Amino acid sequence: MARLPSTPHSLKLEELFSFLESSFSGLSLKEAKKRFEIYGPNELEESPKKSPLKLFLAQFANVLIFILLVAAGISLLVGDKIEAVVILLIILACGILGFLQEWKADKALAALKEMAAPEAVVVREGKHLKIPAREVVPGDILVLTAGDKIAADVRLVESVNLKIDEAPLTGESIPVTKDASLILPPETPLPDRRNMAFAGTTVINGRGLGLVVATGKATEFGKIAHMLKGVEEEKTPLEKRLAVIGRWLGVLSLIVAAVAAAFGIMRGHSWLEMFLWGVSLAVAAVPESLPAVVTAALAIGVSRMAKRRAIVKRLPAVETLGSTTVICTDKTGTLTKNEMTVKKIWAGDKLFEVTGAGYETQGQILYQGKPVDIFHHPDLYHTLLVGLLCNDARLEDGKFIGDPTEIALLVAGLKAGLKPEAFERVAEVPFDSDRKRMSVVVRERANGRYLVLTKGSLESILDVSSHYQKDNQILPFTSKEKQKLVQITDNLADEALRVMAFAFRETEHMPSQTEIEKDLIFCGLQGMIDPPRPEVREAVKKCKEAGIRVIMITGDYAKTALAIGYDLGIVSERSSGFVLTAKEVETFSDQELKEKLKEVSIFARVSPSHKLRLVKLLKEEGHVVAMTGDGVNDAPALKAADIGIAMGITGTQVAKEASDIILADDNFATIVAAVEEGRTIFDNIKKYMLFLLSFNLSEILVLIAGFLKGLALPLTAIHILWINLVTNGPPALALGVDPPSPDLMKRPPRPPEEGVFTRRLVALITVFSVLIALFLLPVFDYALSSSQSVIFAQTVLFTGFVLMAVAVAYVSRSEYLNIWKFNPFANKWLNLSVLFMVISQVVIVQCPFFNKYLHTVSIPGKWWFILSALALFYLFPAELLKSLITRLFRY
């Protein structure tokens, strides 16, 4: 079983089934498992991943780390072994910290890729199974439906109006019509193999079955992809911006350090001491852990999104989410539960009610509150029968599979006691968006008679119906009767019911394809409801508080959409002024529609082309638009939107490919959760920058001010390195994964052009750093004059910086809110890192063993009290100035 057919398009199906030892019932589960071991996973080879060792060594590929290594080497050469060892230990600690963050990020992203993996439907042991596409093997029967991205190369064994977009493989822009009955010459070129379907192409229309003849790198796509290896992933725009900031800070810090070191040498300090000190000063200015924090914040953020059922495919989408101003959402399955239930049936001038909810087949058909026998009401019987049989949904192993609307019709028929196995489908005209109806021809097994059954929108059914049924009578349609049906449909829609119409015709002979949808007999209407998801109301409310507008775009009736929109709070009243239909949209110019968009929040009966137009107009008005979609034709709108959001359950593979985010649960509340996570990630990166740059800048201010005042060297190189790489590192990383601020979803959306360094952030960094310097420089001066010991004064200042870092860490948890307005202990990682900072500082200062290695001395308890009090007192002016800056600068 090691070889695959080289020219499957030229073989008869019997030969091919025999060659691959398969059948229409598919493979057995045991055989599929065996073939998976032989042929391997159905996926293309990935570029080799960086080994843990390379990932670890990459942490040291940094100019400043290299300078520190040189500094350690020089210290070793001149005999200062303790200094050299301490520097090396600090570098090692930094490397381990960065490695752990990147390794965690890579693992998180790998898990997300696994979650976003495409799926395929195969026939095995006669049953339809949904499996990961990577598990498809040669010999499988692949089920093809509109919107699917084909998982493997297949020889078609069945095709019904099947059209496939092969542009990604052949460059052919027009979809190719496929025909399973063809047998082609072996030399037939790839674009002309109309009895084949290829991996990576997309089903545009119709349905089919295909026998898998090649998987993975053996597919036509795989042969091409095999030549393209080693493509690196692009950095996100945020990472690129921060890399520029890092380089700018690095160059600036080296210049400052070089000038300061030169002054030191001129004042009599040794060149080695000043070299080490200058390097340390450069390190103090640059946030070395910035790349690790950005990677960790993005990876952990998308992991949190995944837990909340939003799978992020492209990291830049995370940044854009925080700026979203409009969410354009579908109704069915996103705002609602996607468990349609038939509640009312109109047939023969009678309104029947259906009991039961969801997909449970327990229920009754009632008329005026009493159960009825459907066989005594022919019009009711036919209405339910059409819904049952003109239907691609099915019940398999106790689980319903198919479109929610069709499942609702199937359930209604089963509640009435109808038996689908009593009929055989012999022909069909599939649904399409132009005709807005579907038809099948079935043969009754008991007597051999044929029935034409059609379902669709009322308008489309009336177009092909010449008569209607009332009890046992078949009557010709009149315009008055048709108008009455329109009114009944509107009344049902006013109750938020989705209404479908049904028609039939009996015939002794099998009709031709052109005769199917002619002279039908209208039999009734079924009204169903898809109840709103209970969590969506709160999500819509949260959007309004966050300055995000919700617009419903649906193919449903205007009245149904308006009823749901009002129920969920998307519109404030059930007024027709809040809704527009597709026909009305088409009458407006772009400028007129832009004006309407300012007040209209519901668009009904729309097509994908209308979605695309609305997205473009919203973007022209300066909005950042998130758009949901699930169909093949939604792909242009998903791509045009700033954030394309595909449905994970009902979404086609095309929609998923075109999107930035996939909703695993098709739930609107998940979109809002994703927006919140997007805002949180960007917020946390700014918290990190605020904390670390405020602190680093304060060190430079204290060191330079000490020089200018003619004081002794305020901190040694070891002190600076310890503060920046060991003490400040953990709290900075903890801020990168801080929980959302309480006011996060009450702020307006962030302008898309806003960078990390806003005027407010720069003002806060400046104020916080100057405050720290003003608090600590006098402490150093006083400690030096009172003790006359440089090392004692340095230890006091060193400890003061560490304790001050605790206060700055908590102040940095919000640019907007004062510390008393949120729980300061909500971030357990920050609390643990602060505890680590304080304990490690007590140990290295009070323990004689560490004194000689870290150039410290033990300090009395009163100094610990003074420094702690200063750190606590720092909170008051810092928070006061924060409030002032928040009022002065919006961004």
Side-chain angles (χ1 to χ4, degrees), residues 687-833:
K687 291 175 191 178
Y688 162 85
M689 298 294 288
L690 175 58
F691 168 70
L692 216 54
L693 291 181
S694 297
F695 212 81
N696 291 2
L697 185 57
S698 72
E699 288 178 271
I700 294 171
L701 290 174
V702 168
L703 294 170
I704 291 176
F707 252 128
L708 295 175
K709 281 191 71 178
L711 301 174
L713 202 61
L715 294 172
T716 66
I718 293 296
H719 295 155
I720 297 171
L721 291 176
W722 182 270
I723 291 170
N724 285 280
L725 296 179
V726 179
T727 308
N728 285 1
L733 292 170
L735 284 170
V737 293
D738 203 38
S741 296
D743 67 328
L744 185 70
M745 293 299 283
K746 293 187 171 83
R747 301 180 210 154
R750 175 176 58 84
E753 68 279 1
E754 179 190 307
V756 178
F757 283 105
T758 59
R759 288 181 298 166
R760 181 177 55 241
L761 188 66
V762 171
L764 286 171
I765 289 170
T766 305
V767 165
F768 286 1
S769 58
V770 170
L771 262 181
I772 296 168
L774 289 174
F775 269 66
L776 292 181
L777 193 60
V779 170
F780 176 70
D781 199 0
Y782 175 64
L784 188 61
S785 60
S786 64
S787 69
Q788 298 299 310
S789 167
V790 172
I791 192 168
F792 178 83
Q794 287 174 335
T795 304
V796 168
L797 182 62
F798 177 32
T799 304
F801 265 115
V802 172
L803 293 178
M804 193 64 75
V806 175
V808 178
Y810 286 108
V811 168
S812 299
R813 283 198 62 212
S814 176
E815 287 180 69
Y816 307 84
L817 295 180
N818 296 116
I819 195 170
W820 52 83
K821 289 185 179 177
F822 60 89
N823 181 2
F825 304 109
N827 186 340
K828 68 174 181 179
W829 298 112
L830 181 60
N831 299 333
L832 290 172
S833 64

Side-chain angles (χ1 to χ4, degrees), residues 145-212:
T145 55
D148 288 350
K149 187 170 184 179
I150 299 171
D153 286 2
V154 299
R155 167 65 187 275
L156 295 169
V157 298
E158 181 183 301
S159 57
V160 180
N161 298 324
L162 188 63
K163 292 184 179 181
I164 294 177
D165 176 12
E166 294 186 344
L169 184 65
T170 65
E172 177 61 59
S173 59
I174 300 171
V176 180
T177 301
K178 297 291 183 175
D179 186 348
S181 65
L182 296 175
I183 299 173
L184 303 169
E187 65 275 8
T188 304
L190 191 70
D192 297 331
R193 295 177 192 172
R194 291 176 52 221
N195 61 356
M196 297 281 295
F198 302 101
T201 62
T202 305
V203 180
I204 296 299
N205 189 59
R207 59 181 176 83
L209 294 175
L211 176 62
V212 176

